[in-house]
Amino acid sequence: MTEATPRGRNFIRDLVAADVASGRFGRPVATRFPPEPNGFLHIGHAKSICLNFGLAQEFGGRCNLRFDDTNPFTEDIAYVDAIKDDVRWLGFQWSEERYASDYFEQLFEFAVRLVQKGKAYVDSQTEEEIRAGRGTVAAARVESPYRGRSVAENLDLLERMRGGEFPDGGHVLRAKIDMAHPNMIMRDPLLLRIRRAPHYRRGRAWCVYPLYDFAHGLSDAIEGITHSLCTLEFKDNRDIYDWLVREAGFERPPEQTEFARLELDYTVLSKRKLLRLVNEGHVSGWDDPRMPTIAGLRRRGVTPEAVRNFAEAIGVARSEARVELARLEHVIRDDLNTRAPRVLCVVRPLKVVLTNYPAGQVEWLDAPYYPHDVPKEGSRPVPFTRELWIEQDDFLEEAPKKFYRLAPGREVRLRYGYFITCQEVVKDSTGAVVELRCSYDPATKGGNAPDGRKVQGTIHWVSASHGLDCEVRLYDRLFSVPNADDVPEGGDLLSFLNPNSLQAVRGAKIEPSVATDPIGARYQFERVGYFIGDEEDSKPGAPVFNRTVTLRDSWEKEKAKSA
């Protein structure tokens, strides 16, 4: 496990610390991270990963990676491999790799014992009849007509279910608890069901599969887990969890504790909704940089340290609270500020010709990779020539008062270079600006004027003759509303997709110093944002850069005020 895992205080850590001090379980702390392999992990899972692995590390215990793989229709080995990659990438290593599907035999034995004790029965009702029989919190409940079957009949039917004699839905095994229980989950919950589908690990060895509630708690108990940590939506499931491990006869069984799941602005953290986005082609895949998946964050350039820092920053709480996306972005910027070297890249180029600069001359300016407040050293030579590229947005022909960039007659500073003044604007036949003719002041090399005059604007640039062509992908939030995750299943989720969540800009220009850098290198494009080379789509001589996160922009704030 990573040694960088922070150890902030929260109510679960306090609870575990008290249990360790009292020797409550009589064994070392044991946690687990138990994903279902039916999709990729997302940032909400990262919170749980950091919590479970972090507790095991802090208290000298162990943490298993267990796949709760009890649904043959939705699970796949590809998801298993992706989940393992994500956990490793986050910096953690599990004590043991476990699978609920390895416990099918033991779980079936537990089912037989429950039947023998009169605590379970085979129900032959349809799914709709069972659901109706449970009633509602206020409405009357109706016991199954099969609830009174004898132990012998139930055992016979259970074995025949196991042998594949019946079709899907023909019978189910239910716990016999209390049909009047105020917690509806305890109204004779389903334990086993018939599913004639091959399992990605067990093949066709089984046709009766345990439901989540039956497999989950007993799997924890089999593994000797001490602290079973889950999110608040499983709070009502705690009753069946405790009932099953108690009836199975485990001494000092695990204790389930719930904490608030992560709810993040402008995205969805429902695996079903994410799967829909992938399957319907609204994103390029599970690792699309707009996705909140760990794979998407990785491809977008977020570091594992930033994800862990974010998990620690938001903490572990008892009640739900939505986290602003700006909080995640702040953590990412703070992390990348000290690790991403600065380079110059012009996303949407506009030609500048310095009319008084010698034609054919190339001047190599020394440009530091890091600002003075970052404790790192290093620099690179940047070519300065007569013809340059600047950002289209850094020029306005009719500039408002607080626009401190280039405009006719105005002077600006070129980063690491000289002061320049715009003297002439060249347009094409449509009236679009295609070139600026400017003069430079040779006495202002390095960005300072010997006569003490000041300019308020500094812009970035790239040599027109040395700049490298690249594609820049500007990623933004996936949804246009902060509470997209609240849209109910089957709701009009797609109407809230942000149409500008991806802008792929071809023909951008980047300084030549990056030419020999490895694909996947991270940078801060000065005045633009943090970027990473895309390892999937970059090709020799045709790099692609994904924007990880933007930089603050005072002009954008001014535009927002005036809007």
Side-chain angles (χ1 to χ4, degrees):
M1 298 176 208
T2 177
E3 291 299 320
T5 307
R7 297 189 178 99
R9 184 172 179 177
N10 60 62
F11 80 96
I12 291 182
R13 283 197 174 103
D14 291 346
L15 180 153
V16 175
D19 289 343
V20 170
S22 67
R24 174 184 176 188
F25 290 97
R27 58 185 185 272
V29 168
T31 61
R32 80 289 174 269
F33 175 62
E36 182 182 358
N38 62 351
F40 278 48
L41 301 182
H42 54 62
I43 194 168
H45 295 112
K47 175 181 176 180
S48 179
I49 291 169
C50 292
L51 177 61
N52 280 285
F53 282 92
L55 286 170
Q57 173 185 324
E58 181 175 351
F59 293 99
R62 59 187 175 89
C63 182
N64 289 349
L65 174 61
R66 184 181 72 239
F67 295 94
D68 277 351
D69 53 350
T70 61
N71 187 345
F73 289 114
T74 61
E75 296 157 356
D76 194 276
I77 190 64
Y79 294 134
V80 170
D81 293 339
I83 289 169
K84 291 194 287 187
D85 286 345
D86 287 345
V87 174
R88 290 193 195 99
W89 179 79
L90 279 172
F92 298 103
Q93 182 56 52
W94 46 94
S95 302
E96 296 181 48
E97 184 177 317
R98 298 292 190 99
Y99 296 82
S101 56
D102 285 339
Y103 306 143
F104 283 175
E105 287 81 3
Q106 287 172 272
L107 293 172
F108 190 80
E109 291 173 7
F110 287 136
V112 170
R113 270 190 265 165
L114 287 172
V115 171
Q116 290 171 337
K117 294 168 62 177
K119 297 297 181 70
Y121 64 97
V122 174
D123 195 344
S124 304
Q125 294 183 103
T126 66
E127 183 178 340
E128 292 75 17
E129 290 170 334
I130 291 173
R131 185 182 302 111
R134 282 205 178 107
T136 64
V137 174
R141 286 76 63 185
V142 179
E143 290 187 356
S144 167
Y146 305 100
R147 200 171 192 265
R149 275 176 167 157
S150 68
V151 170
E153 184 181 3
N154 282 319
L155 288 174
D156 175 66
L157 287 169
L158 184 58
E159 288 293 340
R160 291 161 66 189
M161 289 169 62
R162 167 73 179 89
E165 186 174 330
F166 305 114
D168 287 11
H171 304 283
V172 296
L173 182 71
R174 296 178 71 178
K176 186 185 288 187
I177 304 178
D178 181 2
M179 286 298 290
H181 200 287
N183 181 352
M184 290 186 62
I185 290 176
M186 296 296 283
R187 297 177 186 176
D188 291 8
L190 276 63
L191 305 180
L192 292 171
R193 59 186 172 183
I194 302 170
R195 287 289 184 269
R196 292 181 175 278
H199 190 274
Y200 76 100
R201 293 186 71 244
R202 303 299 303 271
R204 295 189 178 275
W206 287 86
C207 63
V208 287
Y209 288 94
L211 280 87
Y212 171 84
D213 280 329
F214 185 44
H216 185 74
L218 292 175
S219 296
D220 282 349
I222 290 169
E223 295 177 18
I225 301 304
T226 57
H227 298 85
S228 175
L229 309 177
C230 59
T231 47
L232 286 173
E233 65 263 35
F234 294 101
K235 183 175 182 179
D236 289 343
N237 301 69
R238 193 199 310 167
D239 286 342
I240 184 60
Y241 183 105
D242 292 342
W243 187 89
L244 282 166
V245 295
R246 183 174 62 250
E247 291 296 333
F250 286 97
E251 295 183 4
R252 297 190 179 183
E255 179 175 66
Q256 176 174 306
T257 303
E258 304 86 21
F259 62 94
R261 68 180 179 180
L262 174 62
E263 295 183 6
L264 189 63
D265 278 353
Y266 297 101
T267 190
V268 296
L269 297 181
S270 159
K271 208 180 287 186
R272 285 188 295 273
K273 292 175 182 177
L274 294 175
L275 181 63
R276 180 185 179 190
L277 295 176
V278 173
N279 288 344
E280 295 182 6
H282 303 292
V283 292
S284 61
W286 285 100
D287 68 343
D288 188 302
R290 292 167 292 180
M291 292 279 275
T293 56
I294 296 175
L297 293 169
R298 182 166 64 242
R299 188 174 177 188
R300 189 161 175 162
V302 178
T303 69
E305 292 85 357
V307 176
R308 295 199 305 266
N309 291 343
F310 175 68
E312 187 65 25
I314 60 176
V316 179
R318 298 176 186 269
S319 56
E320 305 283 9
R322 186 177 297 279
V323 177
E324 292 183 351
L325 186 61
R327 194 168 183 184
L328 172 61
E329 292 174 342
H330 171 77
V331 172
I332 295 170
R333 288 190 192 99
D334 190 59
D335 172 73
L336 292 176
N337 179 52
T338 58
R339 69 170 73 234
R342 278 55 171 173
V343 298
L344 301 174
C345 179
V346 174
V347 178
R348 295 180 174 88
L350 172 63
K351 177 71 71 68
V352 167
V353 178
L354 302 178
T355 55
N356 62 332
Y357 193 88
Q361 178 172 308
V362 180
E363 189 174 357
W364 293 90
L365 307 177
D366 186 63
Y369 278 123
Y370 298 94
H372 63 85
D373 59 341
V374 174
K376 287 188 176 182
E377 298 180 352
S379 63
R380 78 282 186 193
V382 176
F384 188 87
T385 53
R386 177 185 174 91
E387 295 186 356
L388 308 171
W389 299 113
I390 69 167
E391 291 285 355
Q392 293 177 14
D393 289 345
D394 280 339
F395 172 79
L396 282 180
E397 194 168 10
E398 297 180 5
K401 183 178 180 180
K402 291 188 178 181
F403 184 80
Y404 298 126
R405 308 174 198 176
L406 199 58
R410 287 196 183 179
E411 188 175 48
V412 298
R413 177 189 294 105
L414 295 181
R415 183 71 162 149
Y416 310 120
Y418 298 90
F419 289 7
I420 65 170
T421 302
C422 179
Q423 296 172 322
E424 182 182 355
V425 179
V426 180
K427 301 179 181 180
D428 63 14
S429 59
T430 68
V433 176
V434 294
E435 183 179 296
L436 304 177
R437 293 180 180 170
C438 303
S439 63
Y440 91 109
D441 182 348
T444 59
K445 184 176 181 179
N448 294 304
D451 60 8
R453 75 180 187 276
K454 304 293 184 182
V455 294
Q456 290 184 292
T458 299
I459 64 175
H460 62 284
W461 53 275
V462 171
S463 165
S465 56
H466 293 76
L468 307 176
D469 289 333
C470 63
E471 178 180 337
V472 172
R473 294 175 180 173
L474 305 176
Y475 291 101
D476 202 347
R477 53 200 62 185
L478 187 55
F479 288 91
S480 58
V481 294
N483 59 339
D485 222 357
D486 293 339
V487 177
E489 297 291 340
D492 193 15
L493 178 69
L494 302 183
S495 66
F496 299 112
L497 283 173
N498 175 12
N500 298 314
S501 62
L502 167 60
Q503 298 179 54
V505 183
R506 296 178 176 84
K509 308 291 183 179
I510 192 168
E511 67 173 72
S513 70
V514 305
T516 59
D517 289 349
I519 297 175
R522 294 181 178 86
Y523 306 97
Q524 184 197 104
F525 291 175
E526 296 205 46
R527 301 181 63 246
V528 180
Y530 290 99
F531 288 78
I532 188 171
D534 189 281
E535 297 188 57
E536 292 189 28
D537 294 339
S538 292
K539 296 178 175 59
V544 176
F545 296 98
N546 299 330
R547 184 170 68 188
T548 309
V549 67
T550 59
L551 298 175
R552 294 174 184 80
D553 189 328
S554 60
W555 172 237
E556 289 297 325
K557 291 181 181 179
E558 291 297 332
K559 286 196 294 186
K561 288 178 184 178
S562 61

